[in-house]
Amino acid sequence: MRKLLLFADPGIDDSLAIIYALLHPDIDVLGVVTSFGNVSKQQATENTAYLLELAGRQDIPVIEGATFPLSGELSVYYPEIHGAEGLGPIRPPKGVRVNLKRFSHVFELIEKHPDLTIADIGRPTSLAHAFNLNLERLQKVTDIYSMGGAFFVPGNVTALAEANYHGDPVAANVVLQYAKSVHIAPLNVTDRAIVTREAAAHIESISKNPFKDLIPAVTNYYAAAYAKLRPHQNGPSIHDAFALYYMMNQEKIYSVKKTVSVCVLGDARGMSFTDFRNHLTPPGAKHTIALNFNYQDFLTDFIKVMSSEIS
């Protein structure tokens, strides 16, 4: 079992990733850290609590993280993509019980589970705070998976930058600099992790879990948003769930090891970059960048996991 501490800001794509983690038979979710990003921290916490309630997993703690980026800027949300409350057409009920923990619980989990893996599929601010508050504890984490950045392709929030790293480039650099090892799932692979309306409908038809109605509802809402942005694309890109697929199928992903940095200022804010001029691994490199994958294997895995029963 992969013991997972998940940092997220649900958001439709984060929500699908949370569901993927809860349903995957080989992932043990130890906690979900919620923060600003696609929605406010409060809304991210409510959405996460709702998903955990649907799964009957209110034993999993929800840990509140960052409210705004390290720069102190006002956060930009995207209701035109994720809906007013982050789950597309779904309105989480009020008063959902939540097993809420303080941020220090992150350090308790790492101490208790030395083999824990961190996946950060939202803005990297909360994870950067964790490194700042307890560097020694965070550097005990062997593997961190980060959904962020873009290489060889345009960004999705500016011409150069992907949304997570653009949302807090300073935090992204903190994580990249101080983490022991970071596996990056950038837009050049996640853009191709498309789940069609037909695939979502198929999941609904064969599913036996509490999310069978929610998955096609949010996927179709997401697809409608993508239809305006990319009318040629047959469905939305499931960026965050791909990061977890990468975590569980690393041997199937073509990747390279490099040293990555993120631009902080100006028009290039949030742009991830590294030296691809040769195929050698630079001394001290600790960032593994996913560059290619088998789409059919991803889609088959996604359908299998998302239609499975909760173990």
Side-chain angles (χ1 to χ4, degrees):
M1 293 289 286
R2 172 84 70 160
K3 292 181 174 60
L4 176 65
L5 176 58
L6 187 60
F7 287 67
D9 57 340
I12 289 177
D13 48 349
D14 296 72
S15 299
L16 291 171
I18 291 171
I19 293 169
Y20 180 95
L22 292 170
L23 292 175
H24 200 292
D26 296 321
I27 295 178
D28 180 13
V29 181
L30 301 179
V32 182
V33 180
T34 56
S35 66
F36 79 96
N38 294 316
V39 292
S40 68
K41 178 178 71 173
Q42 179 181 353
Q43 189 64 60
T45 300
E46 292 177 6
N47 291 347
T48 300
Y50 173 59
L51 296 174
L52 293 176
E53 181 186 63
L54 285 179
R57 292 301 313 273
Q58 290 170 304
D59 58 301
I60 296 175
V62 178
I63 304 162
E64 286 194 315
T67 305
F68 48 78
L70 293 181
S71 63
E73 297 168 293
L74 292 175
S75 303
V76 177
Y77 304 130
Y78 300 94
E80 68 277 11
I81 296 176
H82 297 277
E85 295 174 321
L87 295 181
I90 307 297
R91 296 292 183 268
K94 299 298 181 183
V96 173
R97 185 174 63 85
V98 56
N99 180 13
L100 197 62
K101 298 288 186 181
R102 293 182 178 181
F103 194 69
S104 59
H105 193 64
V106 167
F107 312 124
E108 295 171 16
L109 286 173
I110 296 171
E111 184 67 19
K112 185 177 180 181
H113 303 279
D115 56 343
L116 169 152
T117 297
I118 287 176
D120 190 350
I121 56 175
R123 309 300 188 259
T125 313
S126 295
L127 186 53
H129 277 304
F131 273 97
N132 196 10
L133 291 169
N134 199 327
L135 179 61
E136 181 180 0
R137 189 71 55 86
L138 264 292
Q139 287 184 329
K140 291 182 178 180
V141 179
T142 303
D143 291 303
I144 292 175
Y145 286 80
S146 171
M147 191 281 116
F151 301 93
F152 311 116
V153 297
N156 61 353
V157 69
T158 72
L160 299 173
E162 175 275 330
N164 283 339
Y165 285 7
H166 182 271
D168 197 337
V170 174
N173 280 326
V174 169
V175 174
L176 292 169
Q177 179 176 347
Y178 290 103
K180 190 173 183 179
S181 173
V182 182
H183 304 267
I184 302 172
L187 288 184
N188 40 284
V189 288
T190 66
D191 267 348
R192 294 187 285 114
I194 298 167
V195 174
T196 64
R197 294 175 186 266
E198 293 77 15
H202 180 60
I203 291 171
E204 182 181 23
S205 70
I206 64 174
S207 179
K208 297 180 181 179
N209 64 59
F211 301 109
K212 64 172 297 182
D213 297 324
L214 185 147
I215 291 169
V218 298
T219 302
N220 289 335
Y221 187 96
Y222 206 23
Y226 261 83
K228 298 176 183 178
L229 299 170
R230 302 176 184 176
H232 63 282
Q233 185 169 308
N234 184 27
S237 301
I238 310 299
H239 305 281
D240 298 331
F242 179 87
L244 299 187
Y245 167 79
Y246 178 26
M247 179 183 75
M248 300 306 294
N249 298 274
Q250 190 177 347
E251 73 285 352
K252 297 180 181 180
I253 310 296
Y254 173 69
S255 59
V256 295
K257 204 164 189 177
K258 296 289 183 179
T259 297
V260 177
S261 296
V262 179
C263 293
V264 173
L265 300 174
D267 292 339
R269 172 195 169 111
M271 182 183 75
S272 54
F273 65 94
T274 191
D275 189 349
F276 284 108
R277 289 176 297 177
N278 60 59
H279 297 293
L280 300 178
T281 300
K286 55 182 182 176
H287 307 141
T288 304
I289 308 169
L291 292 180
N292 205 354
F293 70 103
N294 183 301
Y295 171 73
Q296 193 56 53
D297 188 84
F298 161 76
L299 186 60
T300 299
D301 175 87
F302 185 83
I303 293 172
K304 179 181 178 181
V305 172
M306 299 299 266
S307 60
S308 64
E309 297 185 51
I310 295 177
S311 56

